[in-house]
Amino acid sequence: MNDSAGGDGGAPGADTSAGDGTRAVRAGLPEPVKHEPTLPGPVFAAHFHLPGDPTGPYTYGRDENPTWTHLERAIGELEAPGRDDAETLVFASGMAAISAVLFSQLRAGDVAVLPDDGYQALPLLRAQLETYGIEVRTAPTGGDAQLAVLDGARLLWIETPSNPGLDVCDVRRLVEAAHARGALVAVDNTLATPLGQRPLELGADFSVASGTKQLTGHGDVLLGYVTGRDAEAMAAVRRWRKIAGAIPGPMEAWLAHRSISTLQLRVDRQNATALKVAEALRERPEVTGLRYPGLRDDPSHEVASRQMRRYGCVVSFTLPSRARADRFLDALRLVDDATSFGGVRSTAERRGRWGGDAVPEGFIRLSVGAEDPEDLVADLLRALERSAD
Ligand SMILES: Cc1ncc(COP(=O)(O)O)c(C=O)c1O
């Protein structure tokens, strides 16, 4: 590797012929500069020296920050490898990123189609959009039900796999139908991560995600991002970020970038264990409604295997009652009873405790971490035994 400024040209992580691990460890890194760190540290700056005309790239800390720039390049290289037309913007959280797309693209009188089984804050967004005179229609994630409500829509929002039900929709088919009607398509890519699914390659206009989950993977950062391929639409998203000011702190952005270097390691380990966990749970009589898109007999497997390269680290299932589910969670030793997902430490929760999802009382969302698979499976099976009446 060159030890002086400049290097041999081309961002090292942007080599589209390299494997996912190689691209993840190098994603977004600047060319090597002698005596500079590999990944420059967080730039803590509310403002930058700016004599004369106020031109960019760095003027005021709500508009741009060099630490974001590196992170945005890293995410862009993974979400849209080799695409010069794609742009990525980072946000303070997944919700900030989702809001930025919805509120920058929709106007009073527009129609948006949202999932009725997606992340539980979507109904809050729906209510907010409606107060601005935007008509919101909903459809379940699986089964192409969106097709029946697309006429006249300006934007189709899909979340695949969906949280917490893990349904999957055929992104290409829905994009084709939406574009034929002049509607934009945004895909929430949180569960899949960019190593599991690349919505822009499937034709979507935006890939939007919470980076709080498996992308950063340590349960210590809130982050969101939007990757889009239409310059005008992305200019509106950028403008929204400036207006709303929902920006990530430099420390969070830097931590996120550092975490992305281990994305392939974490994702491969966690997702392989998730499949083992799902296979072990499938054998248990008290477990019903088991969902994991990577299971061959999962209702989503066929469509998932056409568009996903990895199936995620979340497994969901139902135990016979609320009390049984609570006892099960209580008996686990290696799995924290906590919300969120995607972290290296396994977590699980009884999703019904929040009241926002249409799930049975005994429904468990389990996020599989990076523990040894044998230990984790043993802990889950032991907790199932101990929680029996
Ligand atoms: C699918 C999905 N999208 C978006 C979000 C919101 O992300 P954040 O919590 O980073 O705002 C979540 C959070 O759980 C999620 O599961």
Side-chain angles (χ1 to χ4, degrees):
M1 182 142 297
N2 202 320
D3 70 351
S4 62
D8 56 1
D15 177 1
T16 52
S17 65
D20 286 345
T22 308
R23 293 187 316 107
V25 297
R26 304 218 67 91
L29 297 184
E31 289 293 336
V33 176
K34 191 170 182 177
H35 303 144
E36 292 290 326
T38 311
L39 175 62
V43 175
F44 296 104
H47 59 264
F48 300 84
H49 289 297
L50 192 65
D53 289 338
T55 51
Y58 303 111
T59 56
Y60 184 56
R62 179 162 29 78
D63 297 342
E64 271 299 352
N65 175 292
T67 311
W68 304 352
T69 306
H70 292 130
L71 175 61
E72 287 168 346
R73 280 194 194 130
I75 296 171
E77 285 168 15
L78 299 176
E79 274 284 350
R83 282 192 84 120
D84 293 337
D85 58 346
E87 181 182 357
T88 297
L89 294 167
V90 288
F91 288 84
S93 66
M95 285 309 293
I98 293 172
S99 299
V101 171
L102 292 173
F103 292 106
S104 69
Q105 305 302 311
L106 297 168
R107 312 269 174 281
D110 282 348
V111 174
V113 177
L114 304 187
D116 63 14
D117 53 356
Y119 177 51
Q120 61 177 4
L122 289 180
L124 302 176
L125 276 173
R126 175 189 186 155
Q128 196 63 38
L129 290 166
E130 286 172 347
T131 65
Y132 297 147
I134 294 155
E135 183 191 336
V136 178
R137 302 174 189 158
T138 60
T141 297
D144 288 338
Q146 298 90 343
L147 297 176
V149 289
L150 264 183
D151 275 349
R154 162 93 185 120
L155 184 105
L156 168 64
W157 189 275
I158 49 190
E159 185 179 299
T160 179
S162 61
N163 168 24
L166 304 179
D167 254 336
V168 171
C169 54
D170 186 331
V171 178
R172 277 188 205 281
R173 182 183 300 166
L174 293 176
V175 163
E176 214 172 281
H179 284 176
R181 292 164 172 86
L184 294 164
V185 179
V187 177
D188 186 321
N189 207 29
T190 304
L191 262 124
T193 84
L195 293 190
Q197 176 169 268
R198 295 180 193 146
L200 266 54
E201 276 179 11
L202 299 170
D205 301 283
F206 304 98
S207 178
V208 186
S210 166
T212 313
K213 318 294 176 192
Q214 205 176 15
L215 183 81
T216 60
H218 292 72
D220 52 11
V221 165
L222 280 133
L223 190 90
Y225 69 86
V226 179
T227 302
R229 60 191 172 83
D230 181 277
E232 208 179 309
M234 287 305 288
V237 175
R238 182 183 286 276
R239 186 167 168 273
W240 178 266
R241 182 174 71 176
K242 181 182 173 82
I243 296 168
I247 54 166
M251 191 67 199
E252 282 75 9
W254 184 83
L255 278 171
H257 197 160
R258 189 179 75 155
S259 301
I260 286 174
S261 58
T262 57
L263 181 62
Q264 185 260 1
L265 285 174
R266 289 184 285 105
V267 160
D268 278 0
R269 164 72 164 212
Q270 292 174 241
N271 296 12
T273 307
L275 180 60
K276 287 190 178 137
V277 162
E279 285 168 348
L281 292 173
R282 188 170 49 185
E283 303 305 317
R284 299 292 306 203
E286 66 274 64
V287 168
T288 56
L290 176 68
R291 297 300 303 266
Y292 182 65
L295 275 176
R296 280 184 187 284
D297 53 357
D298 187 273
S300 293
H301 184 70
E302 197 255 317
V303 59
S305 59
R306 266 189 275 135
Q307 66 193 20
M308 297 182 76
R309 300 162 66 233
R310 295 172 171 90
Y311 300 107
C313 66
V314 179
V315 176
S316 54
F317 57 97
T318 301
L319 292 177
S321 66
R322 174 182 176 153
R324 175 76 190 266
D326 283 338
R327 287 200 302 276
F328 167 72
L329 292 169
D330 213 35
L332 289 165
R333 290 199 195 121
L334 295 179
V335 183
D336 295 333
D337 188 344
T339 195
S340 201
F341 57 86
V344 289
R345 294 172 203 92
S346 293
T347 56
E349 69 172 335
R350 200 178 61 75
R351 198 60 189 164
R353 67 179 172 172
W354 296 97
D357 300 308
V359 293
E361 285 287 7
F363 181 99
I364 304 273
R365 189 185 67 192
L366 167 65
S367 172
V368 174
E371 299 86 358
D372 287 298
E374 305 73 33
D375 293 340
L376 194 56
V377 169
D379 193 41
L380 290 160
L381 296 182
R382 197 189 44 80
L384 280 175
E385 293 293 344
R386 289 195 58 168
S387 60
D389 298 324

